[in-house]
Amino acid sequence: MISDPSLRWLADEPQLDSPTLVVMLDGWIDAAGAAAAAMAAIHDEGESSPVVSFDDDTFLDYRARRPTMELRDGLNTVLKWERINVSVAHDQAGHDLLLLSGPEPDMAWHRFTSIVGEMATEFGVQHVIAMGAYPFAAPHTRPSRLSVSTPSADVLAKVPFLRSSLDVPAGVAASIEHEMHDRDIPSLTIWAQVPHYIATANYPMASVALLDGLREVADVVIDGTELRQDSLVQRRRLDSMVADNPEHLLMLNQLEQLYDAGDNTHPGGEALDGSSLEMRSGEELAAEFERFLNEQD
């Protein structure tokens, strides 16, 4: 059992068989909350049970992430503190899972990732998969595409997801990727694309894509039945909204051409990205969709 003053064991150390460590820490890029919803489905279907809690005073800044006080008729009934936990779960095929979830650490990232690495080694973790989602000029009429980040060329060669080249601020998942790579544990983050015009609302189709990606790269089997049903409902709502507006239909057609081309080149030859589309239409559609959801029962 790992002994560290910043860890609190909530149960006896579990005996696991080659588990996969799934990581989703709130606070970094997660458009439409897609990765959080996917992780919630894993917790639910996997009947997760927390085994380790990280010391919040070591890793979290509660001036920036204040606890929630439940006030009832003047009585301060409880304070709800956000915590980083590691839980044990099992997928639908009986595979062992470790789930690292909660808020992204505000500080002590080197210490945090080192502890996660020690834990992965102690439990014999075979794969580490983190999840995220980002807004993109993509249509809701197509499945959400996945992209990948990993420090391992070998891991990259084995997955079919999109590759990107850019410089961006990193989340702690990127640090975990490198920690695992240094320990010879395959690690990567899979990212789902969320249509830019729906990025501020829930988008279960992206959550489903992440669950399917987990299955593809690490044989983690999570049905996500409720998310799949919600995807069908949302698709019908979006289709009905777009159908009544020629400008929105034009934008959607452009996005479909971009998607079907398979890259960032318009079939006509000129470069096509989010900035060259009717982004104003996307913003208007996002506002209309939010109003539509608010009017629903």
Side-chain angles (χ1 to χ4, degrees):
M1 181 176 290
I2 300 172
S3 178
D4 189 285
S6 62
L7 287 181
R8 182 165 66 97
W9 286 88
L10 308 175
D12 293 336
E13 182 172 348
Q15 300 301 310
L16 303 175
D17 181 17
S18 303
T20 294
L21 172 60
V22 183
V23 179
M24 198 285 132
L25 295 166
D26 300 323
W28 188 220
I29 300 175
D30 186 22
M39 185 59 118
I42 300 171
H43 273 284
D44 183 46
E45 290 188 28
E47 298 181 344
S48 67
S49 176
V51 292
V52 177
S53 182
F54 286 80
D55 178 61
D56 43 8
D57 282 340
T58 301
F59 299 107
L60 300 180
D61 176 7
Y62 281 119
R63 290 285 301 275
R65 197 191 306 271
R66 297 179 185 274
T68 300
M69 178 179 67
E70 291 189 356
L71 190 64
R72 301 293 182 267
D73 293 326
L75 187 66
N76 179 359
T77 58
V78 68
L79 284 179
K80 290 186 176 180
W81 301 86
E82 292 190 85
R83 304 190 191 280
I84 308 169
N85 291 326
V86 175
S87 301
V88 172
H90 307 280
D91 73 356
Q92 299 301 307
H95 301 134
D96 289 339
L97 304 176
L98 285 171
L99 309 180
L100 175 60
S101 58
E104 183 182 51
D106 296 305
M107 58 197 78
W109 279 20
H110 292 295
R111 181 176 181 180
F112 179 79
T113 54
S114 177
I115 294 172
V116 174
E118 290 179 21
M119 197 174 301
T121 301
E122 175 81 10
F123 287 130
V125 167
Q126 295 299 298
H127 298 91
V128 178
I129 316 292
M131 300 184 294
Y134 59 95
F136 191 75
H140 72 272
T141 52
R142 302 289 190 271
S144 290
R145 280 197 172 120
L146 298 177
S147 62
V148 61
S149 64
T150 175
S152 169
D154 291 336
V155 170
L156 188 63
K158 295 176 182 177
V159 297
F161 307 142
L162 299 173
R163 280 82 162 135
S164 300
S165 299
L166 69 165
D167 296 334
V168 294
V172 75
S175 180
I176 292 175
E177 285 181 16
H178 282 276
E179 177 69 27
M180 299 303 170
H181 181 64
D182 292 342
R183 294 173 180 267
D184 295 322
I185 300 175
S187 64
L188 73 158
T189 300
I190 52 178
W191 300 87
Q193 293 181 351
V194 175
H196 65 284
Y197 51 87
I198 195 64
T200 58
N202 294 331
Y203 192 65
M205 189 179 294
S207 304
V208 168
L210 289 170
L211 294 179
D212 290 343
L214 277 174
R215 184 168 189 166
E216 185 166 4
V217 301
D219 200 26
V220 174
V221 183
I222 300 295
D223 292 336
T225 302
E226 186 174 345
L227 288 171
R228 295 178 194 277
Q229 293 172 343
D230 290 344
S231 296
L232 297 176
V233 173
Q234 190 187 56
R235 169 67 188 272
R236 289 193 294 268
R237 288 175 172 175
L238 280 169
D239 285 347
S240 65
M241 288 183 57
V242 172
D244 296 330
N245 188 308
E247 189 175 2
H248 294 164
L249 281 173
L250 175 61
M251 181 197 72
L252 184 62
N253 180 256
Q254 290 177 304
L255 294 173
E256 289 173 337
Q257 290 181 57
L258 170 63
Y259 184 101
D260 294 340
D263 56 22
N264 289 331
T265 303
H266 187 276
E270 72 269 28
L272 180 62
D273 57 25
S275 62
S276 65
L277 295 170
E278 292 289 340
M279 299 305 289
R280 180 175 60 84
S281 295
E283 292 171 359
E284 291 174 355
L285 182 56
E288 289 180 19
F289 185 66
E290 288 180 4
R291 285 195 297 271
F292 179 79
L293 290 179
N294 290 332
E295 293 170 357
Q296 302 307 301
D297 181 4

